[in-house]
Amino acid sequence: MDKLMNRSWVMKIIALLLAFMLYLSVNLDDGTSSSNKILNRSSSTNTGVETLTDVPVQVSYNEKNRIVRGVPDTVIMTLEGPKNILAQTKLQKDYQAYIDLDNLSLGQHRVKVQYRNISDNLNVVVKPDIVNVTIEERDSKQFSVEASYDKNKVKNGYEAGEATVSPRAVTVTGASSQLDQVAYVKAIIDLDNASKTVTKQATVVALDKNLNKLNVTVQPETVNVTIPVKNISKKVPIGVIQEGTPGDGVNITKLEPKTDAVKIIGPSDSLEKIDKIDNIPVDVTGITKSKDIKVNVPVPDGIDSVSPKQITVHVEVDKQGDEKDAEETDESAAEIKSFKNLPVSLIGQSSKYTYELLSPTSVDADVKGPKSDLDKLTKSGISLSANVGNLSAGEHTVPIIINSPDSVTSTLSTKQAKVRVTAKKQSGTNDEQTDKETSGSTSDKETKPDTGTGSGSETNPGTGNSGDSTDKPSEETNTPEDNTDTPTDNTETGDDSSNQSDENSTPVDGQTDNTSGN
């Protein structure tokens, strides 16, 4: 044996066997997965693991003639190896994940996700590493575009018409199977409480029958959409009837609404059928003296809403015998309370004009009524206003309206206010027309003396009907478009010029120099 071991060739064979066994012990696969080997090897102080998320997947194929579906947008790559190489790879960020489909035919395929620009000294695991893709012929078709919008999103009192789209058709490009699924091509518009014609650019989308968006290309991507929006309101006259029985010995001599007309809003076909709102019931049950009563305005069938929703009706009564004498005795026992420097406010202002109260800025008032009511009444319980809703540019004289409790009557030291109205400058304003309106309003307009009371539930004997006339403007809607419309059974057209009043006419007791809307 010693002789055998002393031979050189024997030692060489033994060394070769030992080297081979060492090689096998290092490289022999122990059955664990490559990902587990990465984690096990990372225990070495010189190696590490880096996970790269959201790595974009590049696809190589004939984009001009083919469409590919099923390729993920991103994959996850896990790298293991020397820490210095990992750090360099992560810092440079030139690694890529890709799929090569250039040599594949039409149809479905299982393909491997590959990578490049990563050092051979690193072990790489890609998830997913195999994907199912479908290769189809690219195709294009033309489709008509339909505007999509909610007609109920317009402003109350307006109606959206049929939309026009330009261009009317678009080209949709995608896989043949996808084009077969196209059920709708829509341009979506938000009307956003519109009160005038809407013109917008809208993005075009292709949808299947379940309104799911399809992954196709649309050219052009946007179209111009125009949607007409028109006013669907109308002013109609109203009428009232008595309901209920008044108190003993009391007769109802007059029911007078302080609002002549109301605005109704609804579909055009319903507006055409309605010329007036008549027979509005006024409940006079148990009434013993003249007073104002608020009543609700019914909404006719087919109409969406009515404005104003509530009106005031003046009820005039006539008492007989002892009842009338008792009332006159009570009237003579009434007291008077004076209020000084009550401020005057302007109501019914339009955004088209600026308003200036020239005179007076404050007014004194004598209030007559039962002592118990006057004791409770304070300055805050009385308000004065002037309705400027019907006025055009220029200087005007308007009645001062007093709002006070029904149990008292009021007399103002000044019953008229002078107001200057100036048109705001706007694009497209006809300067010549504005000048004409301004010159037509004279600053020296005056009203005849008004000896009636400013407000209250009762009218003083011998003072005429100025109290009723003065109170009427208070029931007008403060919305400018309501005040400027002359009551009519025609649908409103929005033409402001038709609502202009004759500013050169002489005003009468308790009325403005601009009588439209009263």
Side-chain angles (χ1 to χ4, degrees):
M1 178 65 69
D2 292 337
K3 290 182 181 181
L4 184 62
M5 294 298 292
N6 289 332
R7 294 182 181 181
S8 60
W9 61 271
V10 174
M11 296 302 294
K12 291 179 180 179
I13 292 174
I14 292 173
L16 180 61
L17 289 173
L18 290 174
F20 182 70
M21 292 175 64
L22 180 61
Y23 173 80
L24 290 178
S25 67
V26 173
N27 294 281
L28 185 62
D29 189 358
D30 58 1
T32 60
S33 66
S34 59
S35 60
N36 287 336
K37 289 194 293 181
I38 288 177
L39 296 176
N40 291 334
R41 291 171 184 172
S42 65
S43 62
S44 172
T45 58
N46 295 325
T47 62
V49 177
E50 287 286 352
T51 300
L52 307 176
T53 59
D54 298 330
V55 180
V57 179
Q58 299 183 3
V59 186
S60 177
Y61 68 100
N62 184 351
E63 298 183 19
K64 183 177 181 180
N65 299 318
R66 295 186 175 186
I67 295 289
V68 174
R69 294 186 291 115
V71 177
D73 294 330
T74 61
V75 294
I76 299 174
M77 298 173 61
T78 303
L79 312 180
E80 184 272 338
K83 291 183 177 180
N84 60 332
I85 299 179
L86 285 175
Q88 183 178 6
T89 301
K90 188 175 180 180
L91 182 63
Q92 291 178 346
K93 294 184 179 181
D94 59 349
Y95 49 82
Q96 294 179 349
Y98 71 95
I99 296 175
D100 187 359
L101 306 178
D102 284 334
N103 296 322
L104 297 182
S105 61
L106 299 177
Q108 295 183 345
H109 303 274
R110 284 175 57 84
V111 295
K112 183 176 181 61
V113 180
Q114 304 181 64
Y115 57 88
R116 53 189 166 212
N117 298 334
I118 297 179
S119 173
D120 294 338
N121 294 320
L122 299 177
N123 293 309
V124 182
V125 175
V126 180
K127 291 184 180 181
D129 60 339
I130 302 293
V131 295
N132 296 316
V133 299
T134 302
I135 304 175
E136 298 182 76
E137 286 284 359
R138 179 184 291 271
D139 197 5
S140 296
K141 288 184 180 179
Q142 279 201 335
F143 292 89
S144 296
V145 181
E146 176 186 358
S148 178
Y149 54 98
D150 186 351
K151 291 186 175 182
N152 295 323
K153 289 294 184 68
V154 296
K155 188 176 180 180
N156 187 31
Y158 291 81
E159 182 179 60
E162 294 300 321
T164 57
V165 181
S166 178
R168 192 72 181 89
V170 294
T171 300
V172 180
T173 301
S176 299
S177 61
Q178 289 179 306
L179 295 184
D180 292 339
Q181 298 178 45
V182 176
Y184 311 98
V185 177
K186 292 184 175 290
I188 301 175
I189 293 290
D190 185 3
L191 291 179
D192 193 22
N193 204 34
S195 59
K196 61 182 180 180
T197 297
V198 174
T199 300
K200 290 184 178 180
Q201 273 198 341
T203 301
V204 182
V205 293
L207 308 173
D208 63 15
K209 63 181 180 180
N210 297 319
L211 299 181
N212 297 314
K213 185 178 178 181
L214 296 172
N215 186 22
V216 293
T217 302
V218 180
Q219 287 294 332
E221 297 179 351
T222 61
V223 294
N224 293 319
V225 180
T226 300
I227 304 171
V229 177
K230 61 181 180 180
N231 188 301
I232 53 169
S233 63
K234 174 181 178 181
K235 282 225 170 182
V236 294
I238 58 174
V240 296
I241 58 171
Q242 176 179 330
E243 183 179 81
T245 304
D248 294 339
V250 175
N251 293 324
I252 304 299
T253 59
K254 181 167 55 174
L255 294 176
E256 183 180 7
K258 293 187 176 182
T259 301
D260 296 328
V262 296
K263 182 171 73 172
I264 57 176
I265 298 171
S268 301
D269 54 348
S270 297
L271 292 178
E272 294 176 358
K273 299 176 183 178
I274 299 174
D275 295 327
K276 63 180 179 178
I277 300 179
D278 211 352
N279 297 328
I280 300 175
V282 180
D283 188 2
V284 298
T285 301
I287 190 172
T288 59
K289 62 179 180 179
S290 299
K291 63 184 298 185
D292 290 342
I293 298 178
K294 292 186 180 295
V295 297
N296 295 325
V297 181
V299 180
D301 292 339
I303 296 301
D304 296 332
S305 63
V306 172
S307 178
K309 297 179 180 179
Q310 193 177 70
I311 61 172
T312 299
V313 178
H314 180 69
V315 181
E316 193 75 29
V317 304
D318 180 28
K319 294 184 178 181
Q320 300 176 352
D322 295 337
E323 298 251 351
K324 186 173 182 181
D325 294 338
E327 180 180 329
E328 291 175 352
T329 301
D330 292 340
E331 179 70 19
S332 62
E335 295 188 1
I336 296 177
K337 186 175 183 178
S338 298
F339 294 89
K340 302 295 184 181
N341 298 323
L342 295 173
V344 179
S345 62
L346 301 181
I347 62 174
Q349 300 182 41
S350 168
S351 60
K352 298 179 181 179
Y353 301 98
T354 56
Y355 300 85
E356 181 183 359
L357 178 60
L358 300 179
S359 65
T361 57
S362 64
V363 176
D364 299 337
D366 291 333
V367 181
K368 183 178 181 181
K371 183 178 185 303
S372 59
D373 292 337
L374 292 180
D375 290 341
K376 299 176 184 177
L377 184 61
T378 63
K379 193 172 183 179
S380 61
I382 302 176
S383 63
L384 305 181
S385 60
N387 193 335
V388 297
N390 299 324
L391 305 184
S392 58
E395 291 189 2
H396 305 270
T397 301
V398 295
I400 298 175
I401 306 164
I402 181 168
N403 293 316
S404 59
D406 291 341
S407 60
V408 301
T409 57
S410 305
T411 303
L412 299 179
S413 61
T414 303
K415 300 183 182 298
Q416 306 289 337
K418 183 169 289 187
V419 179
R420 177 182 293 128
V421 183
T422 306
K424 293 182 180 178
K425 292 185 178 180
Q426 298 179 356
S427 58
T429 300
N430 190 327
D431 293 337
E432 180 180 352
Q433 179 66 21
T434 302
D435 293 341
K436 185 180 297 182
E437 292 176 351
T438 304
S439 63
S441 300
T442 59
S443 60
D444 58 350
K445 289 183 179 180
E446 298 179 353
T447 61
K448 297 179 181 180
D450 183 358
T451 60
T453 60
S455 137
S457 61
E458 299 180 329
T459 305
N460 289 339
T463 58
N465 61 354
S466 60
D468 292 343
S469 178
T470 302
D471 284 341
K472 283 188 179 182
S474 66
E475 300 302 326
E476 296 294 339
T477 303
N478 289 344
T479 305
E481 66 174 0
D482 291 347
N483 292 326
T484 56
D485 291 330
T486 302
T488 178
D489 57 358
N490 294 324
T491 303
E492 297 177 359
T493 62
D495 185 359
D496 293 339
S497 63
S498 64
N499 295 324
Q500 299 286 341
S501 63
D502 185 0
E503 296 177 5
N504 293 325
S505 62
T506 302
V508 297
D509 292 352
Q511 296 179 338
T512 66
D513 56 347
N514 186 338
T515 59
S516 68
N518 290 333

